[in-house]
């Protein structure tokens, strides 16, 4: 590759986006540009560098050796540009994953962050699980997310930072005619012999399934086998109504038709929620998000762990890192 005197950052962003998607149509959608315009920008960058960056066929797009070599440098340049704009008060929107539209903890933190930083744009996204979001965080497609940090694979954790937000009490969603639905609270022992759904088989939420497996162990509670991966609230409700398995949830879980939500007790199992972002990210709206998480957690007592609370040892260590 030859090095031109000047490179338009727009061309680098086009290259990085295509490199991450390995698909021109999806990359164009991410950048909100026409596919023809995106292809034109990539071709222009290739001409200026004197090297092909992608191998294009009718079925797939792959990086060339030169493209693989350029990618980390292009990302570094774009991050430096974002940092410069942030320092000048012209930051791009901060993309924040809220996991699911109905979950209260991330939504309340985001709402407070918008109040603390009215001059910055914080955009919500929904990736449904921290593992699903972690790869997006590491590649820069997302900036922040929420979830169980200790449940991530070590390779993912190595590139991320976290701030504990809440020990959220867990609950169970029951069909309204289930024998346990009449109880105001459900002791864990009462679930012995039940098969409970906790996202098994969902590649976006293994950290949640792992937490459930630890909770159920030795208590006679079976983990429900994988169900068809339902996209959207209506499909989730349909699948769960067919299986009729109780669903492991949190106390802020959104209501579902023909079901009841009951807190779990004796002990009170806790879902450890952290705010997570990629290491080295500099953005004024991230600062506001972190402040908001700390303020709301303090106001609500979210980080106080009740004496009767249950949490795996590795989560205790992570949630103590404040």
């Amino acid at each position: 590759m030859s090095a031109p005197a000047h490179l338009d950052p727009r061309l680098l962003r086009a290259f990085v986006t295509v490199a991450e998607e390995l698909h021109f149509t999806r990359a164009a959608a991410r950048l909100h540009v026409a596919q023809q315009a995106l292809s034109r920008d990539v071709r222009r960058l290739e001409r200026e560098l004197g090297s092909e960056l992608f191998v294009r066929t009718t079925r797939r797009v792959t990086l060339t050796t030169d493209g693989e070599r350029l990618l980390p440098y292009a990302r570094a340049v774009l991050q430096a540009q974002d940092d410069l704009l942030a320092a000048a008060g012209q930051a791009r929107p901060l993309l924040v994953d809220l996991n699911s539209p109905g979950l209260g903890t991330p939504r309340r933190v985001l709402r407070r962050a918008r109040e603390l930083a009215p001059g910055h744009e914080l955009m919500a996204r929904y990736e449904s699980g921290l593992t699903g979001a972690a790869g997006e965080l590491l590649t820069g497609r997302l900036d922040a997310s929420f979830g169980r940090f200790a449940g991530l694979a070590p390779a993912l954790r190595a590139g991320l930072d976290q701030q504990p937000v809440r020990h959220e009490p867990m609950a169970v969603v029951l069909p309204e005619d289930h024998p346990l639905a009449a109880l105001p609270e459900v002791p864990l022992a009462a679930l012995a012999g039940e098969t409970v759904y906790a996202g098994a088989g969902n590649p976006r939420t293994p950290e949640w399934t792992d937490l459930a497996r630890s909770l159920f162990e030795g208590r006679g509670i079976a983990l429900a086998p994988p169900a068809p991966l339902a996209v959207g609230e209506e499909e989730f409700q349909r699948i769960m109504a067919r299986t009729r398995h109780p669903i492991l949830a949190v106390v802020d879980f959104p209501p579902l038709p023909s079901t009841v939500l009951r807190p779990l007790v004796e002990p009170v199992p806790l879902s450890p929620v952290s705010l997570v972002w990629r290491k080295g990210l500099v953005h004024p709206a991230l600062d506001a998000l972190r402040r908001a998480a700390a303020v709301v957690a303090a106001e609500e007592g979210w980080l106080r762990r009740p004496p009767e609370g249950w949490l795996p040892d590795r989560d205790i260590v992570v949630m103590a890192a404040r």
Side-chain angles (χ1 to χ4, degrees):
M1 283 188 293
S2 58
H6 302 286
L7 273 178
D8 186 341
R10 186 185 84 252
L11 306 184
L12 290 177
R13 199 170 295 278
F15 161 68
V16 168
T17 307
V18 175
E20 291 174 349
E21 296 290 347
L22 294 178
H23 194 285
F24 276 81
T25 302
R26 290 197 299 267
R30 263 183 66 187
L31 293 171
H32 304 289
V33 299
Q35 186 175 334
Q36 281 185 329
L38 177 62
S39 297
R40 200 161 49 239
D41 283 347
V42 171
R43 289 291 189 193
R44 179 182 159 192
L45 179 63
E46 289 177 322
R47 286 195 305 271
E48 292 187 7
L49 294 173
S51 178
E52 284 198 358
L53 302 174
F54 297 101
V55 177
R56 306 158 175 85
T57 70
T58 55
R59 293 189 175 183
R60 59 188 302 204
V61 176
T62 58
L63 281 163
T64 64
T65 301
D66 284 341
E68 291 176 349
R69 189 162 61 244
L70 176 64
L71 184 57
Y73 295 103
R75 282 177 170 151
V77 169
L78 294 176
Q79 183 63 60
Q81 183 192 37
D82 289 343
D83 294 346
L84 176 63
L85 292 174
Q90 301 177 30
R92 61 172 175 78
L94 189 81
L95 304 182
V96 184
D97 164 42
L98 302 187
N99 301 149
S100 175
L103 293 180
T105 298
R107 196 171 67 246
R108 289 175 66 182
V109 172
L110 179 61
R111 186 185 306 128
R112 181 62 62 88
R114 285 170 171 163
E115 294 171 357
L116 293 174
H120 295 290
E121 185 63 71
L122 292 93
M123 296 290 296
R125 295 288 188 273
Y126 303 97
E127 291 299 320
S128 184
L130 185 56
T131 298
E136 310 289 287
L137 293 173
L138 292 173
T139 60
R141 299 184 203 183
L142 284 172
D143 295 312
S145 186
F146 293 84
R148 183 190 172 218
F149 191 72
L152 293 178
L156 294 175
R157 292 201 305 269
L160 301 170
D161 273 328
Q162 67 97 23
Q163 175 180 321
V165 175
R166 184 177 186 183
H167 291 109
E168 185 165 11
M170 295 164 73
V172 64
V173 178
L174 299 163
E176 59 186 1
D177 58 351
H178 192 282
L180 297 177
L183 299 176
E185 299 174 328
V186 175
L188 273 171
L191 288 176
E194 296 280 353
T195 298
V196 180
Y197 178 75
N202 186 342
R204 292 181 171 272
T205 60
E207 73 282 355
W208 178 253
T209 306
D210 175 71
L211 184 65
R213 190 176 288 109
S214 298
L215 177 63
F216 297 167
E217 187 175 4
R219 291 189 165 94
I221 306 170
L223 184 67
L229 185 58
V231 178
E233 183 176 311
E234 184 175 334
E235 281 298 283
F236 181 78
Q237 291 172 1
R238 184 181 67 82
I239 294 295
M240 291 300 101
R242 190 177 70 188
T243 65
R244 290 186 57 79
H245 289 313
I247 303 167
L248 187 67
V250 291
V251 291
D252 277 349
F253 195 77
L256 298 177
S258 303
T259 67
V260 296
L261 180 71
R262 296 292 183 256
L264 290 170
V265 294
E266 299 175 13
V268 176
L270 301 172
S271 170
V273 181
S274 290
L275 170 62
V276 182
W277 64 95
R278 69 182 173 277
K279 285 184 176 177
L281 176 62
V282 177
H283 195 296
L286 176 62
D287 296 338
L289 194 66
R290 294 189 63 186
R291 290 199 310 274
V295 168
V296 177
E299 290 175 348
E300 302 293 334
W302 278 354
L303 288 173
R304 287 197 299 269
R305 188 156 58 96
E308 71 279 14
W310 172 92
L311 202 61
D313 289 343
R314 57 180 166 146
D315 291 276
I316 293 174
V317 173
V318 167
M319 295 299 284
R322 303 183 195 176

